[in-house]
Amino acid sequence: MKINRRNFTLTGGALTLGFLLGDGVISLTPAEAKAQNLPFHRLTKNQASLIDILGDAIVPGAKAAGLSHYIDHQLSVRHQDNLLILRYLRVNPPFDGFYSASLQAFEEAIQQRYHKEPSDLTEVEISDFITIMMQKNPEFWSLPGHEAPPAPFFYFVLRSDAIDVTYSTMEAFDSLDIPYMAHLEPAHTWEVSPK
Amino acid sequence: MNYAEKTDVVIVGSGAAGSLMAAKLAESGKKVIILEAGPERTLKDLTSSQIHARRLKWSGDLVMENGAQPIGNGFNSGYGTGGAALHHYAVWPRLHAEDFKIRSLHGRHLDWPISYDDLRPYYDRIQQEVGISGDSQAEVWRPDGADYPLPPVPAFQQSEIIAEGFKKLGKSLSPLPLALNSREYMDRPGCLWDGWCDAGCPTKALANPLAVYLPKAKKHDCQIIHDATVTRVLTEQNGKKTIGVTYRIKDGIEITLMAKMVILAAFAIQTPRLLLASAEGGLANRSGLLGSYIMSHAAALVYGLFEEETEPYMGPTGGQMLNQDSYDHKDKRPQGFGSYQWMIAQAVKPNDLLGFGGSNPGIFGAKLTEFMQRAAQHFGGMTACVEDLPQRENRVSLSSEKDKFGLPLASVTHTSHKDSLALWQGAKQEGMEIFKAAKAEQVWTGPLGPMHLMGGTIMGQDAETSVTNSYGQCHDIDNLFIAGPGLFPTSGGVNPTFTVHALTLRSSEYILKNWSSLT
């Protein structure tokens, strides 16, 4: 059979993941997982919150698109099934440590600089902070005993993750007025390895 | 230890070189087994998604990358059936005559042991077998060769707009030669021009191994064993002949496969790793050069936003137009030394490393939202493929760390030659001028991106200065061959896959012609 976009049935969402829920696996988009407030498996609630705060400030819409659930899901699977952009960027798996160290550095730098929690930052404050972190390590970024990846690198990675989850779906293409034109639609469940 | 039935030929790796070699040898009656370290992939796995496409890239054993300009193994290598060629963009220009004789002509770096004229008939035959779309007459820089069998790719709006910049500056342009069907050819359909090449082409319009040579190999009873990691090339006690390989399957069971001939086509990193790990000091390493001269083209990325709508999502991922004005006379560049070509008007998606969203990482927040909306309709881009001059100290070596089977991991050091870096800088500057001449509203450039992997097991005239002869036959072991871009002594400034095919076809005929004496 010849395969092309004309004879493959279009089936809906373009970023459907298999999320563990209780003893089973359900297929949802990261946005649906976010909306249903599914539990995290690798991230703590605080880490997920930090991802959403920073990710959404960098790429508006990333939080609602399910950024934290997307990253949590990808951290849960085998390396060869992990589709985070980090796999291109010379970071050795597992990637959990990269995110946890970076998020801790982000939280501590905010607390030291602004004397408040990241969730309490104003738009101007977080924008100023991002402007610094994309260029160099902000003050208090990597404290002794808490060495973290360079802030500009973490910014680049989280920005890429956020663009992935926000702009890779068929709905997002449609919002940009780009025809998706799939040959094979990526709608199958991404298996989650048993813990 | 488990023993498999003896075979004529075992090929390690199922990418561009491995699949072509397997097809040619199997068609001639040889019993061929391919051992592929990665998982099985079929056309139905090639989903249209930049995220899913990452599965096609390397996720095998860790590769330690060092040096000032690391080679980007994670992005450039493939994993599973078809290897890196499964996600390649099918940009298939030829090397030029000068590429083969840099030392003779310029007194620096290396010569190939063959000339362009030696390889030309193989380029011609491969392009007829595979199908290349292009316009040989418009390629005013092209070395002699047969006309392409297929008409060129259509020009979409993006290339028309950028072309204006080239024209204003008096530069030449041609359609990009692509191993991508502009119309049906050899029972494979024409391309739909929707820019999913990087995700792997499931329609078979693009000449990846699943579309062309693996089906031919299988038709002649070639067997592919997946998830099979080769751990050692075996030799007779005197080391003069190979007798097969050992490999491990998923559950760790080690199997010995005896063969009359071993062909390593595991790409530029894993092939030297395997040879280095197969004997004290490395197998087939009399020269001491095993692993040396690793190269990766430097990509000079130029981006712009244009007032006109560009339809940047249409066309092939590799681009639509070609310029090689800065190719011949490597010593005549304004700065640096070497060759480069422009691949113009690549089809882009919003996300991924090469997506327009990632092209300008300094933008965030509300400005990013505006940018994404604007870029979706007005983005333009082109990439220079810049020659990476070979240096002995850029090399694959064995790490002290080991994989789950106890095989040392590969460590790769790569720092670009200063003349290559200067050439890359010059290309970026030229690219910005071209975009300004094309009336781009905004122009910006990307960081140096490593593109393609070559070298590490270079061919040459003798055993003192190279690992193999011009057929990929190891100088030290008659029935041990290497195939793929690892053989390249110099990189040129063009995409390597067409040359890999031409070299492999030439090698396969040498093997068949000399089978009795080699085995």
Side-chain angles (χ1 to χ4, degrees), chain B residues 166-415:
Chain B
F166 281 88
K167 288 174 190 166
K168 277 186 188 159
L169 297 177
K171 297 178 186 295
S172 306
L173 279 173
S174 77
L176 192 64
L178 291 158
L180 187 59
N181 288 353
S182 53
R183 58 168 166 75
E184 188 171 332
Y185 186 75
M186 300 282 187
D187 294 327
R188 292 166 34 225
C191 178
L192 299 165
W193 313 118
D194 42 27
W196 286 115
C197 311
D198 182 51
C201 177
T203 73
K204 301 199 281 188
L206 189 151
N208 65 46
L210 287 177
V212 183
Y213 286 113
L214 285 176
K216 291 177 194 283
K218 286 181 177 175
K219 188 177 174 187
H220 291 86
D221 299 325
C222 168
Q223 182 186 1
I224 305 181
I225 302 174
H226 292 90
D227 301 303
T229 302
V230 177
T231 52
R232 195 170 175 206
V233 177
L234 304 172
T235 60
E236 291 177 342
Q237 276 198 331
N238 63 12
K240 298 288 186 188
K241 267 197 159 187
T242 175
I243 53 174
V245 299
T246 58
Y247 67 97
R248 288 187 188 262
I249 54 179
K250 258 184 175 177
D251 58 10
I253 293 173
E254 187 173 68
I255 298 170
T256 296
L257 176 58
M258 308 298 282
K260 294 176 184 170
M261 178 174 289
V262 174
I263 299 174
L264 304 180
F267 216 27
I269 309 300
Q270 298 302 321
T271 290
R273 175 198 178 201
L274 177 59
L275 287 173
L276 285 166
S278 289
E280 185 70 32
L283 196 61
N285 193 25
R286 183 152 36 118
S287 65
L289 294 175
L290 185 57
S292 285
Y293 299 108
I294 280 288
M295 297 167 281
S296 183
H297 291 127
L301 306 161
V302 179
Y303 308 113
L305 288 177
F306 296 84
E307 184 181 356
E308 306 98 315
E309 293 199 351
T310 56
E311 298 180 310
Y313 42 83
M314 292 300 297
T317 307
Q320 299 165 43
M321 305 287 278
L322 174 71
N323 170 276
Q324 291 187 340
D325 285 354
S326 296
Y327 205 98
D328 289 338
H329 308 292
K330 295 176 190 286
D331 56 340
K332 304 294 187 196
R333 303 285 91 79
Q335 60 188 73
F337 175 92
S339 304
Y340 65 86
Q341 66 173 11
W342 286 109
M343 296 170 286
I344 301 152
Q346 288 100 7
V348 288
K349 306 296 179 187
N351 63 315
D352 204 33
L353 275 189
L354 300 180
F356 59 78
S359 70
N360 199 344
I363 302 176
F364 68 94
K367 286 184 179 170
L368 177 62
T369 306
E370 286 174 30
F371 171 82
M372 296 299 284
Q373 290 288 343
R374 180 82 179 152
Q377 306 301 329
H378 298 269
F379 184 83
M382 63 180 190
T383 302
C385 179
V386 179
E387 180 161 11
D388 185 26
L389 296 168
Q391 302 184 91
R392 182 170 180 165
E393 57 271 28
N394 287 339
R395 59 193 289 259
V396 178
S397 58
L398 296 181
S399 166
S400 57
E401 294 188 43
K402 296 182 177 177
D403 70 8
K404 60 186 175 184
F405 302 133
L407 192 69
L409 298 175
S411 175
V412 188
T413 300
H414 180 268
T415 297

Side-chain angles (χ1 to χ4, degrees), chain A residues 5 58 83 155 164 180 184 190, chain B residues 48 52 54 194 357 361 365 377:
Chain A
R5 66 173 178 263
I58 296 170
L83 301 178
Y155 163 80
D164 272 345
Y180 197 92
L184 298 183
W190 295 356
Chain B
S48 302
H52 283 255
R54 291 172 194 158
D194 42 27
Q377 306 301 329

Side-chain angles (χ1 to χ4, degrees), chain B residues 101-111 330-331 336-338 389-390 417-420 490:
Chain B
K101 301 291 173 195
I102 297 180
R103 184 159 191 85
S104 300
L105 293 169
H106 301 290
R108 53 189 296 181
H109 307 295
L110 302 169
D111 278 350
K330 295 176 190 286
D331 56 340
F337 175 92
L389 296 168
H417 192 285
K418 64 179 174 52
D419 285 342
S420 298
T490 62

Side-chain angles (χ1 to χ4, degrees), chain A residues 112-125:
Chain A
Q112 294 283 344
R113 183 183 180 93
Y114 295 107
H115 305 291
K116 55 171 128 174
E117 296 302 316
S119 57
D120 297 328
L121 292 175
T122 66
E123 275 188 39
V124 171
E125 285 169 337

